[in-house]
Amino acid sequence: MTDLQHKARRHLWMHFSQLGAFQRDEIPIMTRGEGCYVFDQHGRRYLDGLSGLFVVQVGHGRRELGEAAARQSAELGFFPVWGYGHEPAIELAARLAHLAPGDLNRVFFTTGGSEAVESAWKLAVAYFAAIGQPRRHKVISRYIAYHGTTFGALSITGVPSIKGIYEPLVPGAIKVANTDRYRCIDCSHLDGCTLRCADDIEQRILMEGPDTVAAVFLEPLQNSGGGFKPPAGYWQRVREICDRYGVLLVSDEVICAFGRLGTWFGGERYGYVPDIMTFAKGVTSGYAPLGGLIVSDRIVAPFLEDTKVFLHGITFGGHPVSCAVALANLDLMESEDVLGNVQRNMGSFDAVLQELRDIPIVGDVRGDGYYRAIELVRDQKTKAAFTSAESDRLLRGILSPRMFELGLYCRADDRGEPVITLAPALIAGEEEFAMIGSVLRSALSEATSAMHH
Ligand code: PLP
């Protein structure tokens, strides 16, 4: 065992990981990255089919981003944005406001996505208190949706398996239907969606009492559960409902922003303007941690009064080095037309994955842009699902290790039904899609035989 492996086993607490399994099995240790690929301690190359964790938009090994960080550290390594400003935070806030739709012009920085979601909830509550509607504190989000792990964000998260032991969570976080058209009992047998999933939001608002509901938190395209794309008209209906009852619409863009769907923000892709957008991950392509909220002028207005304060802050929110990296990242995305690359190639990416439908355990292939998911089923015709024990064996016992062995890092997850999630760097093209297609064909075919015998 190498020294590094020994130290990792003894001292590193990997997130969402079975530490016990790593007492037996080797911990994969990544040493470097280049473009769409990463290399481990043995020098083996893997296609990073998940951009780390939906993060590394411009790819690995981009010196420009390290250089931007070094320049900023030398200039001003840290200063808080608590009552002060510094150039990187100011310039980035202005740049994000410029990219954001409508009147979303004010940026509140955090260090990551959970804090952004948490902050958006607090802002919604503080906003309603400021305008004389102090009863509005509840929030609505969707089944199986993932919005982070801190107590507030975890309350908004709709994944029972990661919430149970932490209960009681923050009260007032209500769940509604998601847009799982493949399994929707209302419309999966019809040609189109009935939008009952959107109307569910209205029913919940009425049931709770509109004067108690502060905000609706939705991702443009829901990640957890496997790439639930919004049906046509969904977002327009949701916007109408929120407006009708004076509820804020929060678009959780932690995954979908910065080109993942071929646009700067998911709202642009699906034609809506929210009141607040949360972002993190891709804003820096992961070269430094950063997250935040982009907020509508209307929500900011009460806080512009003389003595009003949004009573909330985070030491490292708007860290100058992270903001400088974000600016350099946005420069790269613009100069290399990264969004254009996604727009031009997303069709071929989809086509490569759709070809896998002949493999018996492939139930559905869906998603958008450079975010795709494959739902695995026991029976294609009946959509019969695997039991949770089977799903565990399929994902953790067979598919994950086999795909990794074949040189593909991606996500095999069963927060809902078992799905494989693919979200390569936004600079990926035909070569990467071909490799993803061939690894998946081998691994899924082998898994079919193993599961059917
Ligand atoms: N919101 C969404 C939609 C996410 O996908 C995630 C993380 O994957 C989060 C929030 C939480 O972000 P973080 O892990 O940076 O706290």
Side-chain angles (χ1 to χ4, degrees), residues 53-54 111-115 117 146-149 153 219 223 252-256 278 280-281 411 415:
L53 206 50
F54 313 102
T111 64
S114 300
E115 279 175 5
V117 169
Y146 183 90
H147 293 282
T149 49
E219 288 170 273
N223 159 42
D252 185 352
E253 303 257 356
V254 166
I255 288 181
C256 293
T278 51
K281 296 187 187 269
R411 184 100 176 260
R415 285 176 173 156

Side-chain angles (χ1 to χ4, degrees), residues 122-449:
K122 288 180 80 173
L123 176 59
V125 169
Y127 164 74
F128 283 117
I131 63 164
Q133 299 184 34
R135 271 169 54 78
R136 287 198 191 255
H137 67 281
K138 296 178 192 169
V139 287
I140 293 176
S141 56
R142 296 184 290 202
Y143 297 133
I144 318 291
Y146 183 90
H147 293 282
T149 49
T150 53
F151 266 86
L154 186 63
S155 308
I156 295 177
T157 286
V159 184
S161 59
I162 61 168
K163 297 172 64 143
I165 66 153
Y166 299 110
E167 287 174 352
L169 292 168
V170 182
I174 300 135
K175 303 295 170 286
V176 295
N178 57 39
T179 56
D180 180 2
R181 224 178 105 63
Y182 179 64
R183 292 196 178 274
C184 178
I185 45 170
D186 209 54
C187 73
S188 60
H189 58 291
L190 304 176
D191 287 342
C193 172
T194 59
L195 292 186
R196 274 275 281 276
C197 43
D199 291 339
D200 198 21
I201 295 174
E202 180 167 34
Q203 278 180 17
R204 292 298 157 137
I205 292 174
L206 289 171
M207 199 174 96
E208 296 293 326
D211 63 334
T212 68
V213 182
V216 172
F217 281 72
L218 309 170
E219 288 170 273
L221 166 149
Q222 183 175 324
N223 159 42
S224 203
F228 295 145
K229 197 175 163 180
Y234 176 83
W235 274 106
Q236 290 63 34
R237 179 75 61 91
V238 170
R239 182 71 264 187
E240 275 165 33
I241 293 167
C242 288
D243 289 345
R244 191 172 307 139
Y245 300 101
V247 172
L248 302 188
L249 178 54
V250 181
S251 185
D252 185 352
E253 303 257 356
V254 166
I255 288 181
C256 293
F258 306 110
R260 182 56 56 198
L261 305 180
T263 46
W264 285 111
F265 297 99
E268 199 182 325
R269 175 94 178 124
Y270 301 127
Y272 64 93
V273 180
D275 300 303
I276 300 175
M277 292 196 292
T278 51
F279 66 89
K281 296 187 187 269
V283 65
T284 59
S285 280
Y287 285 72
L290 187 67
L293 322 176
I294 314 179
V295 184
S296 139
D297 286 338
R298 181 171 68 89
I299 311 305
V300 180
F303 297 96
L304 296 178
E305 285 169 23
D306 244 4
T307 54
K308 267 277 179 311
V309 177
F310 176 33
L311 293 168
H312 184 56
I314 294 155
T315 301
F316 286 152
H319 194 290
V321 174
S322 300
C323 291
V325 171
L327 285 163
N329 180 51
L330 297 177
D331 286 345
L332 273 184
M333 291 186 75
E334 279 176 2
S335 66
E336 297 179 359
D337 188 24
V338 169
L339 270 55
N341 188 58
V342 174
Q343 288 159 13
R344 285 187 296 277
N345 291 307
M346 60 168 111
S348 346
F349 186 24
D350 184 39
V352 165
L353 300 179
Q354 294 296 345
E355 278 174 21
L356 301 168
R357 279 187 184 269
D358 63 308
I359 300 172
I361 58 169
V362 171
D364 196 21
V365 180
R366 55 189 182 237
D368 201 0
Y370 271 26
Y371 177 100
R372 303 276 160 183
I374 301 175
E375 180 169 331
L376 305 174
V377 291
R378 188 210 298 249
D379 188 315
Q380 265 178 342
K381 276 212 184 67
T382 63
K383 301 187 187 176
F386 288 111
T387 64
S388 64
E390 285 170 340
S391 161
D392 189 53
R393 178 169 160 246
L394 170 67
L395 299 183
R396 284 163 206 93
I398 304 173
L399 278 174
S400 288
R402 186 63 182 136
M403 292 189 295
F404 199 61
E405 209 171 75
L406 293 170
L408 174 64
Y409 161 79
C410 65
R411 184 100 176 260
D413 187 40
D414 54 0
R415 285 176 173 156
E417 295 301 327
V419 287
I420 294 177
T421 303
L422 297 146
L426 308 184
I427 53 168
E430 297 298 339
E431 184 187 326
E432 287 75 31
F433 303 153
M435 174 167 175
I436 289 172
S438 93
V439 170
L440 288 180
R441 176 159 294 283
S442 306
L444 290 170
S445 305
E446 288 167 28
T448 301
S449 311

Side-chain angles (χ1 to χ4, degrees), residues 92-110:
L92 181 60
R95 183 108 169 238
L96 292 173
H98 178 71
L99 293 176
D103 71 341
L104 278 78
N105 287 316
R106 181 76 61 160
V107 181
F108 184 99
F109 287 113
T110 66

